[in-house]
Amino acid sequence: MYIAALFTWTFINSTNTKGLRYDPKYWANRCGHIAGSQLPLMTALGMKNNLISALTGVSFDWLQILHRTCARVLCVVIWVHAFGRVYISVTIDLEEHWFRLGIVAASSLTLLSLLSIRPLRSRNHEVFLYLHAIFAIITLSGAYIHVSDFGYGSYIWPSLFLWGLDRFLRLLRISLVNSQLFGSTTRIASEATVTLPSSDAPGFIRVLVDRPRYFFWRPGQTAYLTIAGAYPTSISEAHPFTIANTPGTLQCEVPTESEQGQSSSGGRPQLMFILRVRQGFTRRLADSVLATGTSDGRGGIRRSFNAFVDGPYSSPPVVRGFETVVFICGGSGITFVLPLFSDLLQAASAATNSNPCCQRIVLIWAIRDQDQINWISLILSNLLSALPSANNSAPVIDIRFHVTSAAEDTQSFEGEKRPASSASTAEAGAGGDSHQSSIMNPEKIHDAERDRLLGLPGVQLIQGRPNVGEIVDTEITDARGGSMSVNVCGTPELGQSVRLALRSGFGRFTDVLRGGPSVQLHVEAFDV
């Protein structure tokens, strides 16, 4: 509808005095004016600090979809404008500098629109960010010079102003939030401790950052993290990660004096990030820690860096108030689920018989290696142990760690491409009731905190890939009225499988008629 509205305004009343319809003399320049009028909107939708998010509550990461759509529509509109101008006076305009700069600006926007296609930008996101900044400057600067000689600079300079304002506000906020200018310690950055649990095959990185004094967040929100000194260009890169802890949760797992949720230097709580080691930033950060880090006393390697935190961002769901809450995640998707799950357990600990938190909480986590449980074992153990055992308001907790013995069984949950030959194996692992999968012996796990977690009631270690459809069906069937919140974090394939399970045609309609729960779904998909 957006592109239809723009072209309607472009071609309406474009019949000349001789009766020729759609005369380029009428619509060519008008098309350029309309494109210029939409540039501030395109820029505003791409800002992290924008008025639209402040007024609507919609996070900027969702507005990025509209930002890309607007840019692609304007790319088409601008080339229609260029075609009209060439058709009218190609022999004259080619000699003019403003015409050539207009072609440069249009070409730059076209390349940027092509590079923003998901498969291309996901392949090397860091390179895309640099190219995005370069092409954005070329597009806006070229467009301004293109129109300034004709007195239409007012169409373009608001976009330049908004683009510069966003960068200035981000720099100002990062500086003010992260600066420690008062107190016993004075510095301009926060301190981050980056830990690799194993030097042999690092799969995850844990990052503990001193919480800035004026940084506040809600469970499930994200923050942009900049690590200075990890590699030459790391100071110029900011990457979004979900804050894996809540303000009232124990932040770290290693029970040492300097890491009991407090910073050894600043005495303030910490932010915890759990990063999956892939390519790009996380791989280079892991290599830096391996090269110059020191032992953490538990077989891992750690190193301290200066860090800057920008945020919080995103609009996570509010899971309090539902009778049943189901979390389904795979691999590093636990970073989104963990703070929401922890928040519910904290609320349940403070709940009373007259004001219960919820009745049932289910956590399904598909992981490749059981050692990954160590990342959250101490947090979950402490939270589960704090639940009032004699209080009727305590919810039923059902935690299932699905450990996939074969790599292909976890790939659809962690975002890696599954080979075609693994289809039969994956189906075999998913067949049947998930409760009947083979239970692994917890005595084989030597880690004390993991043993403690797996020994608590309601915690299972299951061999095999979870059957998402059957899990959802079982929870809906067992629920008796009320409301249910289903929260998913993982790949688009994982989110789609849950959607298919929830929209099983007439069945869901009859469930509600028979007194079944009303279900609210939130999918936090991996995207860049």
Side-chain angles (χ1 to χ4, degrees):
M1 292 185 63
Y2 180 59
I3 191 171
L6 294 185
F7 278 119
T8 298
W9 294 333
T10 296
F11 293 110
I12 195 171
N13 295 331
S14 58
T15 303
N16 63 17
T17 56
K18 296 181 180 180
L20 177 63
R21 302 179 64 182
Y22 307 118
D23 187 352
K25 294 181 180 179
Y26 286 78
W27 57 258
N29 285 339
R30 184 192 301 167
C31 191
H33 297 163
I34 291 175
S37 68
Q38 299 303 300
L39 281 176
L41 175 63
M42 179 192 72
T43 306
L45 290 172
M47 296 171 54
K48 290 183 175 62
N49 306 278
N50 63 76
L51 186 61
I52 300 176
S53 293
L55 294 177
T56 63
V58 178
S59 178
F60 88 94
D61 50 347
W62 287 103
L63 294 180
Q64 288 288 318
I65 300 175
L66 297 179
H67 168 70
R68 291 192 291 266
T69 301
C70 184
R72 292 161 187 167
V73 169
L74 289 186
C75 182
V76 176
V77 174
I78 288 173
W79 281 114
V80 171
H81 160 68
F83 171 78
R85 288 301 310 172
V86 170
Y87 182 83
I88 294 173
S89 54
V90 64
T91 57
I92 300 176
D93 292 342
L94 286 176
E95 303 299 326
E96 301 291 341
H97 75 282
W98 56 265
F99 184 84
R100 293 194 294 267
L101 286 174
I103 295 296
V104 170
S107 301
S108 178
L109 180 61
T110 302
L111 289 174
L112 189 53
S113 298
L114 293 175
L115 291 173
S116 67
I117 298 174
R118 182 175 180 178
L120 294 179
R121 73 173 189 270
S122 300
R123 184 176 296 274
N124 197 324
H125 191 59
E126 289 87 354
V127 174
F128 169 75
L129 293 178
Y130 286 115
L131 293 178
H132 183 280
I134 294 172
F135 284 136
I137 294 174
I138 294 175
T139 298
L140 295 179
S141 301
Y144 180 79
I145 299 174
H146 174 70
V147 302
S148 59
D149 290 346
F150 303 95
Y152 295 113
S154 57
Y155 281 80
I156 309 300
W157 70 256
S159 299
L160 291 167
F161 173 77
L162 290 175
W163 190 84
L165 179 64
D166 179 48
R167 269 62 185 174
F168 173 76
L169 291 177
R170 286 183 62 194
L171 180 61
L172 180 63
R173 182 169 63 179
I174 292 173
S175 301
L176 292 178
V177 169
N178 290 274
S179 296
Q180 317 295 330
L181 302 180
F182 304 97
S184 58
T185 303
T186 302
R187 60 176 184 268
I188 61 174
S190 300
E191 182 180 351
T193 301
V194 181
T195 304
L196 293 176
S198 172
S199 59
D200 296 332
F204 281 79
I205 302 175
R206 184 189 62 190
V207 181
L208 296 176
V209 182
D210 291 350
R211 182 182 70 82
R213 188 184 305 274
Y214 304 107
F215 187 93
F216 306 96
W217 78 99
R218 293 188 293 112
Q221 287 192 298
T222 61
Y224 276 75
L225 186 62
T226 299
I227 302 292
Y231 50 91
T233 60
S234 63
I235 187 63
S236 63
E237 298 179 8
H239 298 268
F241 298 103
T242 303
I243 304 171
N245 61 308
T246 62
T249 303
L250 183 64
Q251 282 80 359
C252 53
E253 305 174 26
V254 184
T256 61
E257 180 180 355
S258 63
E259 289 191 344
Q260 289 295 330
Q262 299 290 326
S263 168
S264 59
S265 58
R268 288 189 302 276
Q270 295 174 313
L271 306 174
M272 183 172 72
F273 300 90
I274 300 177
L275 285 55
R276 175 70 186 274
V277 178
R278 298 185 185 273
Q279 299 300 319
F281 167 74
T282 53
R283 173 57 61 186
R284 291 191 291 268
L285 180 61
D287 291 342
S288 177
V289 176
L290 287 173
T292 58
T294 58
S295 174
D296 67 346
R298 300 186 69 191
I301 300 177
R302 69 173 60 177
R303 182 185 171 188
S304 296
F305 298 92
N306 287 327
F308 299 91
V309 180
D310 178 25
Y313 293 103
S314 73
S315 300
V318 178
V319 294
R320 294 193 184 190
F322 292 90
E323 279 79 4
T324 304
V325 182
V326 179
F327 299 103
I328 303 175
C329 59
S332 56
I334 191 65
T335 59
F336 171 76
V337 167
L338 180 61
L340 297 175
F341 185 81
S342 301
D343 183 60
L344 281 179
L345 294 185
Q346 290 174 351
S349 300
T352 61
N353 291 327
S354 60
N355 185 28
C357 169
C358 60
Q359 299 175 1
R360 179 173 173 80
I361 307 174
V362 180
L363 170 60
I364 309 296
W365 185 22
I367 53 179
R368 180 174 302 176
D369 187 351
Q370 60 189 9
D371 290 339
Q372 295 175 13
I373 301 175
N374 290 336
W375 289 95
I376 63 173
S377 58
L378 182 60
I379 295 176
L380 289 185
S381 297
N382 292 338
L383 289 171
L384 292 174
S385 301
L387 288 175
S389 56
N391 194 340
N392 293 330
S393 65
V396 176
I397 306 298
D398 187 357
I399 301 176
R400 308 175 209 166
F401 300 117
H402 286 260
V403 180
T404 59
S405 57
E408 61 268 14
D409 288 337
T410 313
Q411 286 167 349
S412 63
F413 287 84
E414 296 187 359
E416 299 175 7
K417 187 176 180 180
R418 290 178 56 185
S421 60
S422 68
S424 60
T425 305
E427 291 298 329
D433 193 324
S434 61
H435 293 278
Q436 297 177 355
S437 302
S438 58
I439 306 297
M440 298 182 65
N441 186 2
E443 295 179 358
K444 295 182 179 180
I445 304 174
H446 302 291
D447 186 271
E449 291 300 335
R450 188 168 45 188
D451 259 342
R452 178 190 173 198
L453 174 62
L454 296 174
L456 294 174
V459 181
Q460 301 179 64
L461 190 61
I462 302 175
Q463 178 70 41
R465 185 166 171 255
N467 188 336
V468 174
E470 189 158 354
I471 290 172
V472 173
D473 288 337
T474 301
E475 294 302 327
I476 292 178
T477 302
D478 293 344
R480 298 179 179 178
S483 58
M484 175 185 294
S485 174
V486 179
N487 305 274
V488 184
C489 186
T491 61
E493 292 78 12
L494 175 59
Q496 184 64 16
S497 64
V498 177
R499 290 190 183 97
L500 291 175
L502 288 175
R503 64 171 189 232
S504 59
F506 192 69
R508 290 289 168 260
F509 178 72
T510 56
D511 285 341
V512 176
L513 291 180
R514 289 195 295 262
S518 60
V519 181
Q520 177 175 308
L521 173 65
H522 177 87
V523 177
E524 190 81 4
F526 297 148
D527 194 11
V528 290

